């Protein structure tokens, strides 16, 4: 077990001559074999200030998530708009024009199918052409989708638009998160990765407010909402032009010169930043990953050895989101509130979006301080209880005009917002196959069971919640090498937070030899 190390009080790097035996030569440089940065010793506020350029780059990359929030919000809100129903609905035997539940399911499912389409090639594309090229690919898909949304006159064209937007969102969800994890220091990585949800919720709020006003003032002109989508699409390409390529991309290709250039673009404002040392950390982490594989990485490797456990953990997180009723509370929020009998379902969606925004802001600011495991698992446990209460409200008159029951339903929906989805980003992307199944199943289930749908989701959520408590580890402040080490040592998930890694002990020894990045009270 490593002994505690006292942090010095200076504000710069102090170099101390090291014995030659202690150093490890890497490309002619004394690297000491580090796989964990000395900057991990900084406090969280100090890390944000020192790496403020990286924070700004991350925010620029996340502008694309405004489109995601808008698209996901619009998918559940616009289907209740009178103009939309008039354009895409059909007249049934009762003479009332309404949307076909099959088309509702198809539109939602194709959004996820589009994401799966990108999953088949985007990792290869990003590794071959770079993260920045992937950003441009996402933008191209979103432009195509926006054109179709603004010109669609039939359900089939609207479905094609959903497919294109899903492909664009799929690229964003994979590439943006990987890029942020590669450029951000470990101390603020969790907060910056989850901060994408803030942009997504901002897009959702814009969409919710817009749809509420549209429903009141222009109930027959749903295209006004679609035209506003051009604003975030235009802004993202402007920001992305100035974003540098990830140094990890170049390091994986063995191009040190370009990797160093990217490091300088990202960290040149950090005083006394040791570019050789930080590049060595990246290179050794990549070499360790390659050493664990018998040949070139392939998809089959995620189902072998220790990678299988990591894959199953990510799959459990994906399933937990869908069985927690994410579709009925988020994707079909307006539709859900409408069926539940709320007088103004659009207003319920606006309130829900605002509460989501507050929750993800607090989650982003606190995740690197308090960690992920306990918060996520506690929220998942609470969601299980909430789902059964929602189901029970069916017999209280919540769907037949009981104001008190309707208010209770809205409060439960607000309580349903949890940080669970963001946690999965730290281990891998979520699977879309469960989401497709729920996209097809949710609208007919809401029509048939109404609030009793909560019982269906709740019954499946309980075993998933138990598994999460057993297998979700704490990754707060851990480098990629440390996460690899903890899996290789087969440390139980509930002991990760208290386990000292070899990488951590090594970093402390190097700090004693070379000096540390010291804390300062001023900025």
């Amino acid at each position: 077990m490593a002994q505690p190390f006292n942090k010095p009080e200076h504000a710069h790097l102090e170099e101390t001559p090291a014995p030659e035996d202690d150093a490890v030569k890497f490309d002619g440089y004394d690297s000491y074999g580090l796989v964990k940065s000395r900057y991990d010793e900084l406090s969280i506020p100090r890390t944000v200030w020192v790496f403020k350029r990286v924070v700004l780059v991350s925010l620029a990359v996340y502008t694309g998530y405004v489109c995601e929030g808008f698209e996901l919000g619009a998918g559940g809100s616009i289907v209740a708009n009178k103009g939309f129903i008039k354009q895409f609905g059909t007249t049934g035997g009762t003479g009332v024009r309404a949307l076909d539940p099959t088309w509702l399911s198809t539109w939602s499912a194709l959004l996820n199918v589009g994401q799966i389409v990108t999953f088949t090639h985007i990792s290869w594309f990003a590794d071959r052409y770079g993260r920045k090229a992937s950003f441009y690919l996402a933008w191209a898909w979103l432009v195509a989708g926006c054109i179709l949304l603004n010109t669609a006159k039939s359900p089939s064209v609207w479905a094609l638009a959903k497919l294109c937007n899903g492909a664009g969102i799929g690229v964003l969800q994979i590439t943006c998160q990987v890029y942020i994890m590669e450029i951000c220091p470990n101390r603020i990585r969790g907060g910056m990765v989850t901060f994408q949800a803030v942009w997504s919720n901002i897009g959702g709020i814009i969409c919710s407010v817009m749809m509420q006003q549209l429903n009141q003032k222009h109930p027959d002109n749903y295209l006004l909402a679609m035209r506003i989508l051009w604003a975030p699409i235009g802004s993202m390409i402007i920001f992305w032009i100035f974003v540098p390529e990830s140094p990890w991309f170049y390091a994986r290709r063995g191009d040190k010169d370009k990797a160093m250039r990217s490091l300088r673009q990202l960290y040149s404002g950090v005083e006394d930043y040791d570019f050789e040392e930080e590049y060595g950390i990246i290179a050794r982490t990549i070499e360790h990953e390659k050493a664990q594989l018998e040949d070139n990485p392939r998809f089959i490797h995620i189902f072998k050895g220790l990678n299988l456990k990591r894959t199953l953990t990510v799959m459990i997180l994906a399933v937990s989101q869908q069985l927690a009723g994410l579709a009925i509370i988020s994707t079909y929020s307006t539709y859900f509130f409408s069926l539940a009998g709320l007088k103004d379902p659009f207003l319920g969606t606006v309130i829900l979006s605002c509460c989501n925004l507050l929750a993800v802001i607090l989650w982003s600011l606190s995740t690197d301080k308090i960690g992920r495991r306990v918060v996520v698992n506690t929220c998942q446990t609470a969601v299980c209880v909430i789902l059964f209460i929602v189901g029970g409200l069916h017999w209280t008159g919540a769907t037949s005009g009981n104001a008190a029951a309707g208010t209770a339903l809205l409060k439960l929906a607000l309580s349903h917002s949890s940080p669970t989805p963001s946690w999965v980003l730290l281990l891998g992307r979520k699977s879309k196959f469960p989401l497709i199944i729920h996209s097809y199943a949710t609208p007919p289930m809401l029509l048939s069971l109404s609030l009793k749908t909560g019982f269906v989701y709740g019954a499946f959520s309980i075993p998933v919640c138990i598994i999460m408590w057993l297998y979700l580890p704490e990754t707060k402040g851990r480098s990629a090498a440390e996460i690899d080490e903890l899996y290789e040592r087969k440390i139980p998930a509930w002991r990760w937070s208290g386990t000292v890694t070899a990488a951590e002990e090594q970093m402390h020894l190097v700090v004693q030899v070379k000096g540390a990045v010291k804390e300062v009270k001023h900025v």
Side-chain angles (χ1 to χ4, degrees):
M1 229 28 195
Q3 298 300 318
F5 291 82
N6 296 323
K7 294 180 183 283
E9 299 177 356
H10 300 282
H12 60 279
L13 288 172
E14 291 183 354
E15 300 292 338
T16 304
E20 191 66 29
D21 292 341
D22 291 342
V24 176
K25 292 286 184 179
F26 186 84
D27 199 18
Y29 176 77
D30 289 343
S31 61
Y32 300 89
L34 269 179
V35 290
K36 184 176 175 67
S37 174
R38 287 185 289 161
Y39 285 90
D40 289 355
E41 290 281 275
L42 289 176
S43 65
I44 293 174
R46 179 63 178 160
T47 303
V48 172
W49 175 254
V50 169
F51 293 94
K52 52 185 175 294
R53 178 179 296 182
V54 173
V55 173
L56 292 175
V57 170
S58 300
L59 296 180
V61 169
Y62 279 153
T63 53
Y65 275 89
V66 176
C67 283
E68 182 199 44
F70 190 98
E71 172 58 42
L72 296 179
S77 298
I78 204 167
V79 294
N81 179 265
K82 293 179 180 178
F84 186 85
I85 295 173
K86 184 183 296 184
Q87 178 66 46
F88 296 102
T90 57
T91 303
T94 59
V96 178
R97 195 166 183 81
L99 296 174
D100 187 340
T102 302
W103 274 117
L104 275 173
S105 300
T106 301
W107 293 333
S108 181
L110 284 177
L111 185 69
N112 300 296
V113 169
Q115 294 173 62
I116 289 180
V117 169
T118 63
F119 291 173
T120 62
H121 69 274
I122 190 57
S123 59
W124 168 85
F125 185 91
D127 288 339
R128 184 174 179 83
Y129 298 106
R131 282 59 166 138
K132 192 167 181 177
S134 299
F135 295 158
Y136 295 146
L137 178 63
W139 183 79
W141 277 115
L142 291 171
V143 168
C146 191
I147 291 173
L148 292 171
L149 287 175
N150 280 274
T151 58
K153 299 298 181 182
S154 65
S156 58
V157 177
W158 189 267
L160 184 60
K162 289 290 184 178
L163 184 67
C164 292
N165 280 344
I169 291 173
V171 177
L172 286 176
Q173 289 178 332
I174 294 178
T175 311
C176 290
Q177 304 303 328
V178 171
Y179 181 84
I180 298 304
M181 291 181 69
E182 289 178 343
I183 69 171
C184 283
N186 295 326
R187 287 290 286 159
I188 60 173
R189 184 194 63 210
M192 292 310 302
V193 167
T194 56
F195 198 79
Q196 57 85 15
V198 174
W199 285 104
S200 183
N201 275 272
I202 289 174
I205 289 176
I206 293 172
C207 179
S208 298
V209 173
M210 182 174 54
M211 292 307 299
Q212 185 197 28
Q213 294 298 311
L214 185 68
N215 190 56
Q216 292 177 355
K217 299 179 180 179
H218 305 282
D220 295 324
N221 190 359
Y222 70 93
L223 285 175
L224 285 175
M226 297 302 100
R227 292 180 185 128
I228 294 178
L229 185 57
W230 285 111
I233 290 178
S235 63
M236 73 170 70
I237 192 64
I238 295 174
F239 284 112
W240 287 352
I241 290 174
F242 300 100
V243 169
E245 181 57 84
S246 167
W248 284 75
F249 166 69
Y250 290 126
R252 291 185 186 279
R253 299 170 67 87
D255 195 336
K256 181 179 178 180
D257 292 338
K258 290 185 178 179
M260 294 293 284
R261 185 175 64 187
S262 290
L263 285 170
R264 290 188 175 91
Q265 288 178 312
L266 289 165
Y267 310 115
S268 60
V270 179
E271 185 178 357
D272 296 326
Y273 190 85
D274 193 331
F275 293 98
E276 289 284 353
E277 179 177 280
E278 297 299 324
Y279 176 79
I281 292 173
I282 295 173
R284 277 184 294 277
T285 301
I286 293 172
E287 287 301 316
H288 175 75
E289 292 174 355
K290 290 180 178 179
Q292 302 303 306
L293 301 175
E294 298 176 357
D295 49 17
N296 292 329
R298 298 198 306 268
F299 280 112
I300 191 63
H301 287 144
I302 67 174
F303 299 105
K304 290 183 176 181
L306 293 173
N307 287 333
L308 176 60
K309 186 174 182 180
R310 303 172 82 150
T311 300
L312 293 176
T313 302
V314 173
M315 292 175 67
I316 286 295
L317 285 163
V319 171
S320 73
Q321 297 173 58
Q322 308 314 318
L323 296 184
L326 185 67
I328 60 175
I329 301 297
S330 180
T331 306
Y332 295 101
S333 55
T334 302
Y335 194 42
F336 172 71
F337 289 138
S338 178
L339 289 176
L342 292 183
K343 186 176 180 180
D344 189 350
F346 286 102
L347 180 59
T349 303
V350 172
I351 297 174
L352 180 63
S353 298
C354 291
C355 289
N356 280 337
L357 178 61
L358 178 61
V360 296
I361 290 176
L362 293 176
W363 173 236
S364 297
L365 294 176
S366 62
T367 182
D368 286 306
K369 184 69 175 179
I370 64 178
R372 293 82 148 146
R373 172 182 158 82
V374 174
V375 175
V376 169
N377 287 339
T378 301
C379 288
Q380 184 68 17
T381 304
V383 163
C384 291
V385 176
I386 290 172
L387 287 170
F388 282 99
I389 297 176
V390 167
L393 287 176
H394 174 79
W395 288 280
T396 65
T399 59
S400 58
N402 187 323
T407 302
L409 176 64
L410 178 59
K411 290 181 179 179
L412 286 171
L414 302 180
S415 302
H416 188 279
S417 304
S418 76
T420 304
S422 60
W423 196 95
V424 70
L425 303 173
L426 298 176
L427 289 178
R429 287 305 309 165
K430 59 191 179 186
S431 169
K432 290 297 172 183
F433 289 102
L435 191 53
I436 289 180
I437 296 173
H438 285 272
S439 296
Y440 270 111
T442 300
M445 204 168 5
L446 284 172
L447 285 172
S448 176
L449 301 177
S450 189
L451 296 184
K452 288 187 289 184
T453 303
F455 288 129
V456 178
Y457 285 110
F460 287 103
S461 294
I462 291 177
V464 171
C465 182
I466 295 173
I467 294 174
M468 287 173 65
W469 277 105
L470 293 175
Y471 291 102
L472 259 64
E474 177 58 74
T475 60
K476 179 185 72 172
R478 299 293 190 185
S479 67
E482 286 182 289
I483 293 175
D484 289 340
E485 177 188 332
L486 289 166
Y487 271 112
E488 291 165 9
R489 290 169 58 185
K490 299 181 180 179
I491 303 297
W494 57 88
R495 287 178 51 196
W496 273 41
S497 60
T499 300
V500 177
T501 63
E504 191 174 0
E505 291 180 328
Q506 179 192 42
M507 183 267 291
H508 286 311
L509 290 174
V510 174
V511 165
Q512 288 184 336
V513 173
K514 295 186 67 176
V517 182
K518 280 76 174 182
E519 299 279 359
V520 291
K521 297 182 181 295
H522 66 277
V523 293

